[in-house]
Amino acid sequence: MVIPVYNEAADLERSVRRLRGYMQTVLPFPFRITIADNASTDETPLIAGRLAVELPEVTAVYLADKGRGRALKYTWLNSNADVLAYMDVDLSTDLAGLLPLVAPLVSGHSDLAIGSRLKRGSRVVRGPKREFVSRSYNMILKATLGARFSDAQCGFKAIRADVAHLLLPLVQDTNWFFDTEMLVLAERAGLRTHEVPVDWVDDPNSKVDIVATAREDLRGIARLRRTMPSLPLPAIRARMGRTTPRASQLATH
């Protein structure tokens, strides 16, 4: 489980200790929490380092350059875990969704898993502006890229390590569009994505700039439409034994 952070000194220790306690209690298999600090300028690296010393299941990685996607790609591709996941440091997603997220990957049933705030059964608390932006963005993805997944931006995702090593080298974005690009490429490669309805409460102190992120996402969509035809996605489909486009439909549960 990777926790990507940038200047999160206020919340980091409380969130990591809570997450570790939950994982110790609920998960029936070994786990590791990696704090991926991408260029923080506050006390975040010091807190991360101390937690890594105090807690045997916690490690800390410091990257000199910013970018959530960069932090995830680096830590996932350098991990020896069988299942790779991440969640936001504010723990906006209820931790009860963790086992349903990773179980289909541990069993081999699915290739990726995502939390969804837009699936039936989810419970979401957030303002109308963020709700509108989220739904509009996912509608744009369906219209421009033919996406079938319901929620690209929820900070709660997992991927099998063998799939990550095939797919992530093709993902170019290093920031917020990373999630969307990974999911679109996975779908086009015929990979199975499991969706988990989640309970989610908006963090009023979120540092995400909605306008800037929206612009970045639109640029990412335009780039992906240009470059996707040249990517070796058919080779991944063949290697994974997903030989027909129909196999790329979402696994719904």
Side-chain angles (χ1 to χ4, degrees):
M1 174 65 73
V2 177
I3 308 293
V5 292
Y6 173 72
N7 288 349
E8 297 288 356
D11 297 325
L12 180 59
E13 180 163 3
R14 178 176 64 252
S15 293
V16 169
R17 290 187 181 277
R18 180 185 166 201
L19 175 61
R20 173 180 177 262
Y22 185 87
M23 295 175 81
Q24 284 179 317
T25 302
V26 172
L27 295 187
F29 32 76
F31 69 89
R32 181 169 62 250
I33 298 170
T34 298
I35 304 167
D37 185 327
N38 41 290
S40 289
T41 57
D42 64 358
E43 294 184 355
T44 296
L46 297 177
I47 297 171
R50 176 168 54 79
L51 290 171
V53 171
E54 293 180 10
L55 306 176
E57 302 89 354
V58 176
T59 60
V61 174
Y62 181 83
L63 290 86
D65 297 313
K66 291 175 62 176
R68 184 181 69 167
R70 177 180 286 107
L72 290 175
K73 188 173 184 177
Y74 176 84
T75 50
W76 278 355
L77 290 180
N78 286 280
S79 172
N80 61 0
D82 296 320
V83 173
L84 312 165
Y86 94 89
M87 68 185 306
D88 293 334
V89 68
D90 57 18
L91 305 187
S92 291
T93 305
D94 192 294
L95 294 178
L98 182 55
L99 189 55
L101 184 82
V102 300
L105 308 186
V106 173
S107 69
H109 176 273
S110 300
D111 303 306
L112 299 90
I114 64 174
S116 175
R117 299 160 296 185
L118 302 176
K119 291 281 289 184
R120 181 177 298 177
S122 63
R123 293 186 292 181
V124 176
V125 178
R126 60 178 166 183
K129 182 178 180 181
R130 286 184 177 272
E131 182 75 9
F132 174 78
V133 170
S134 179
R135 290 186 179 274
S136 298
Y137 179 61
N138 284 284
M139 288 176 62
I140 291 171
L141 290 178
K142 293 179 190 302
T144 58
L145 296 171
R148 296 188 181 96
F149 49 83
S150 65
D151 190 353
Q153 295 173 312
C154 182
F156 191 60
K157 293 183 174 68
I159 185 171
R160 290 207 330 259
D162 58 329
V163 175
H165 283 273
L166 291 174
L167 191 65
L168 295 190
L170 305 181
V171 179
Q172 296 182 32
D173 191 80
T174 59
N175 203 16
W176 297 103
F177 190 68
F178 174 89
D179 295 50
T180 300
E181 186 169 357
M182 176 180 70
L183 292 176
V184 170
L185 295 184
E187 212 167 61
R188 295 296 180 93
L191 303 178
R192 300 192 189 100
T193 300
H194 175 77
E195 292 197 316
V196 179
V198 296
D199 293 350
W200 193 87
V201 178
D202 188 23
D203 178 10
N205 299 314
S206 174
K207 300 180 178 68
V208 179
D209 185 326
I210 296 178
V211 175
T213 302
R215 291 198 190 104
E216 180 182 321
D217 288 339
L218 292 175
R219 287 194 295 268
I221 290 171
R223 172 182 57 77
L224 201 51
R225 282 171 60 88
R226 292 193 310 269
T227 61
M228 197 158 40
S230 64
L231 297 177
L233 299 176
I236 295 178
R237 183 184 296 120
R239 181 165 178 175
M240 298 295 294
R242 318 288 161 73
T243 56
T244 66
R246 184 177 297 275
S248 67
Q249 294 179 348
L250 283 175
T252 56
H253 306 271

